[in-house]
Amino acid sequence: MYMSIKEIVNTANERQISISELAIEHEMKQNQASREEIFEKMKKNLITMENAVKKSVEGEGVFSLTGLTGGDAVKIAKYREKKRTLSGDSMMAGVQSAIGTNEVNASMGIICAAPTAGASGIIPGVLFSIKDKLRLTHEQMVHFLFTSALFGMVVANRAFIAGARGGCQAEVGSASAMAAAAAVEAAGGTPQQSSEAFAIALGNLLGLVCDPVAGLVEIPCVKRNAIGTANALIAADMALAGITNVISADETIDAMREIGRQMPRELRETGLGGLAGTPTGLAIKKKIYGEDVSNKSLITS
Amino acid sequence: MCKAVNYKSCFDIIGPIMVGPSSSHTAGALAIGNVAYKLFKGLPKKVVVRYYESFAETHKGHGTDYAIISGVLGFAADDPRVPKAIEIAKSKGIDITFIEEKDDSPIGHPNTADVYLEDETHSIRTIGISVGGGIIEVKHIEMDGFSFDLQGTLPVCLAITKRKDFKPIMLHFFAKYNVKVNMAKHFEADGKYLYEFDLDSPLPTAGKEELSHIDDQANIILL
């Protein structure tokens, strides 16, 4: 079990193999399964991601039951057709996939958690943004998921990936860092550069609170998937340009864990503080649940 | 680092494939319900779910209710029937109560659910926590006259039997499938023994099939 990013980078360097290969080896050993079985299982996750993105732009798009979110992936797709995006088409392609995936999630559609459902748009967002530019095969896309998974495992075991434990930094921050590391490998960067991209991406999102309006995975979750995606792409580019960090990836994870511990519970997925606690946020909560739900202690369904 | 590791597989991180919207509150809740289903063995007449902390605050927005009931009904996380689970359970005559507890979690975790199932012949209770990304820990179980706390990291195998010599049989079985047993202990109640085996990795498919044939008289449950 890899408990540090440093261990992953060192092992990959010593054995002269990619991080995705290390992940596949780990998985074969862990599950006593063949390479083909492991690969097929991850391929199913990739197909689920592709299907969610496809679904998000059918017709007018998908909408949640509350109507609070939905249809934005379609807006971005139409906007991209004008070919005048400020941040570039591949960036907006990623943002579209990220938002689309999370719209499907909010509508109780089928998604692949990566590492969570609330942050499920970021890994597909980054992957589908770079796949054309890097001409990634389906096999290479599966490798991308393995690489991101191995980085994510370190975060999950060393800190946490749940908003209720560590705020949104644990979800969108982790997903963004995992995607950045995998994007570097897909682009031909070194394991150390993956580690640098990971540290940049996570470091940029430290302190991000989890403040879902009415406790729903909608506002601000859907848009934060867009930011997690853009942040990952920037972090990957920075690392590929040779930028390094003074604070290592492992220490950044530990900082994330400590920040989560210091974060008040109102800002850890309780739907009480932050955007959820604004007058509009509270009004939405009241509109959805009727009277003040906090006074209600027993509900029989 | 000597701590319990919950995330052992790449698929704990990328995955599960699930019905939205929350991996902790939907997929994780479903997994806790599913533990109750495995312990109960069959459909109950009555379900009582107690929520603590983040679960209590946000269960309605996250579909936690239908997720737990999906688990109790034995549905998988990506089963399209998941959002309809409460209606399906009601149509089977299952009485369901959700309680939002004001107190802190007895386990000290924000996503804690206490699930009680009963019918005319038996009842079970389990307390689980959802630790993120659809992964859970099982912290407490009451069944068949036993009441005990677990460290919680899955997979865990339980065996209830009158046999006092069951531990070596099970250890031999796990060794045969190259599954390391991190901890083995047992409890005694009313002339019966409950053996708990905390496993380091999942049992291969062939092992799962063989598990039910080890001893017809023993109740063996793989969580």
Side-chain angles (χ1 to χ4, degrees):
Chain A
M1 196 65 61
Y2 296 99
M3 291 304 286
S4 73
I5 305 289
K6 194 179 170 195
E7 211 185 323
I8 293 175
V9 172
N10 288 347
T11 312
N13 285 340
E14 276 160 24
R15 297 187 45 208
Q16 292 289 303
I17 59 172
S18 65
I19 293 169
S20 58
E21 276 303 323
L22 288 184
I24 292 167
E25 276 185 12
H26 165 84
E27 214 49 46
M28 287 166 63
K29 200 174 154 213
Q30 175 69 18
N31 290 313
Q32 301 185 49
S34 70
R35 191 186 176 85
E36 289 68 33
E37 284 172 279
I38 297 298
F39 203 85
E40 279 307 306
K41 196 171 172 192
M42 194 58 96
K43 202 169 155 186
K44 271 190 195 160
N45 288 339
L46 176 62
I47 291 166
T48 304
M49 291 175 182
E50 289 174 330
N51 288 342
V53 168
K54 256 184 237 157
K55 193 180 168 194
S56 72
V57 287
E58 280 169 8
E60 294 300 304
V62 292
F63 292 83
S64 67
L65 286 176
T66 60
L68 289 173
T69 52
D72 288 352
V74 171
K75 283 182 189 157
I76 295 171
K78 285 183 181 157
Y79 174 69
R80 281 173 60 208
E81 284 170 14
K82 293 181 197 154
K83 308 223 177 274
R84 289 193 56 189
T85 61
L86 301 181
S87 51
D89 191 61
S90 62
M91 176 66 80
M92 288 315 288
V95 168
Q96 182 198 311
S97 298
I99 284 184
T101 301
N102 228 249
E103 286 179 338
V104 170
N105 180 59
S107 74
M108 295 172 189
I110 291 181
I111 55 96
C112 176
T116 63
S120 59
I122 295 161
I123 288 182
V126 172
L127 177 55
F128 300 148
S129 162
I130 63 173
K131 71 172 176 134
D132 291 337
K133 191 171 286 174
L134 298 177
R135 297 202 183 90
L136 299 181
T137 62
H138 232 84
E139 190 178 336
Q140 286 170 315
M141 288 164 76
V142 173
H143 278 268
F144 179 101
L145 297 183
F146 276 114
T147 305
S148 62
L150 203 62
F151 278 90
M153 224 188 292
V154 175
V155 188
N157 287 324
R158 204 173 162 116
F160 27 58
I161 52 169
R165 292 286 303 287
C168 194
Q169 55 165 4
E171 299 209 19
V172 165
S174 300
S176 188
M178 290 156 56
V184 165
E185 182 174 290
T190 65
Q192 183 57 36
Q193 284 175 325
S194 281
S195 160
E196 301 292 351
F198 179 97
I200 295 168
L202 186 60
N204 284 348
L205 294 175
L206 286 180
L208 194 62
V209 301
C210 181
D211 52 351
V213 169
L216 302 165
V217 192
E218 298 203 47
I219 302 169
C221 320
V222 173
K223 291 192 180 84
R224 287 209 184 133
N225 274 264
I227 291 312
T229 301
N231 180 56
L233 289 166
I234 295 162
D237 267 333
M238 285 167 74
L240 288 164
I243 294 174
T244 57
N245 298 281
V246 173
I247 312 294
S248 70
D250 291 314
E251 282 191 278
T252 307
I253 296 171
D254 295 344
M256 193 272 278
R257 184 185 65 222
E258 289 313 307
I259 293 167
R261 281 183 183 161
Q262 291 157 0
M263 212 178 259
R265 66 182 285 276
E266 285 81 1
L267 301 174
R268 283 185 285 111
E269 208 176 345
T270 48
L272 298 172
L275 292 173
T278 59
T280 308
L282 292 171
I284 290 169
K285 187 177 181 182
K286 203 169 174 184
K287 195 177 162 200
I288 293 172
Y289 299 125
E291 78 271 38
D292 181 6
V293 286
S294 61
N295 293 330
K296 213 171 160 188
S297 64
L298 182 84
I299 323 133
T300 301
S301 172
Chain B
M1 205 176 285
C2 283
K3 66 171 220 173
V5 172
N6 271 318
Y7 301 86
K8 298 169 181 170
S9 160
C10 289
F11 301 106
D12 293 338
I13 303 294
I14 304 296
I17 295 170
M18 56 171 279
V19 171
S22 166
S23 47
S24 293
H25 294 71
T26 319
L30 190 146
I32 293 172
N34 202 249
V35 167
Y37 168 79
K38 286 180 181 171
L39 297 175
F40 194 77
K41 298 207 165 178
L43 294 185
K45 283 271 187 279
K46 185 177 165 187
V47 182
V48 181
V49 180
R50 291 171 191 276
Y51 292 123
Y52 292 89
E53 302 190 33
S54 173
F55 263 5
E57 300 282 355
T58 70
H59 67 103
K60 282 183 278 186
H62 284 148
T64 310
D65 297 355
Y66 64 67
I68 287 218
I69 300 305
S70 293
V72 168
L73 295 175
F75 295 172
D78 62 347
D79 190 315
R81 293 174 297 175
V82 166
K84 296 268 168 238
I86 291 175
E87 288 92 318
I88 293 168
K90 280 183 176 171
S91 73
K92 293 177 189 291
I94 301 174
D95 178 58
I96 305 168
T97 306
F98 296 107
I99 298 170
E100 292 171 2
E101 294 287 356
K102 291 283 165 220
D103 298 339
D104 287 348
S105 156
I107 308 298
H109 192 279
N111 291 329
T112 302
D114 173 344
V115 185
Y116 172 85
L117 308 184
E118 72 165 39
D119 66 7
E120 297 82 354
T121 61
H122 69 309
S123 67
I124 64 102
R125 180 179 174 214
T126 184
I127 303 177
I129 61 174
S130 181
V131 300
I135 302 300
I136 62 160
E137 290 180 13
V138 181
K139 291 298 198 184
H140 179 79
I141 289 174
E142 290 170 22
M143 67 181 296
D144 217 357
F146 294 94
S147 173
F148 59 104
D149 293 334
L150 293 80
Q151 181 269 327
T153 308
L154 300 182
V156 169
C157 185
L158 303 175
I160 300 176
T161 168
K162 287 187 173 160
R163 293 177 65 169
K164 211 175 173 177
D165 61 344
F166 214 55
K167 186 171 157 182
I169 295 169
M170 291 299 286
L171 290 178
H172 181 259
F173 169 79
F174 293 124
K176 185 171 118 187
Y177 286 100
N178 289 317
V179 172
K180 192 179 146 206
V181 176
N182 289 331
M183 198 199 60
K185 59 178 176 183
H186 67 278
F187 308 90
E188 189 183 352
D190 307 329
K192 277 180 302 186
Y193 298 90
L194 185 145
Y195 297 86
E196 175 197 337
F197 302 93
D198 292 7
L199 308 180
D200 197 54
S201 60
L203 199 56
T205 313
K208 283 179 190 162
E209 281 159 14
E210 196 188 323
L211 197 61
S212 55
H213 305 301
I214 292 178
D215 184 339
D216 292 346
Q217 303 298 313
N219 178 10
I220 303 175
I221 302 161
L222 184 65
L223 301 177

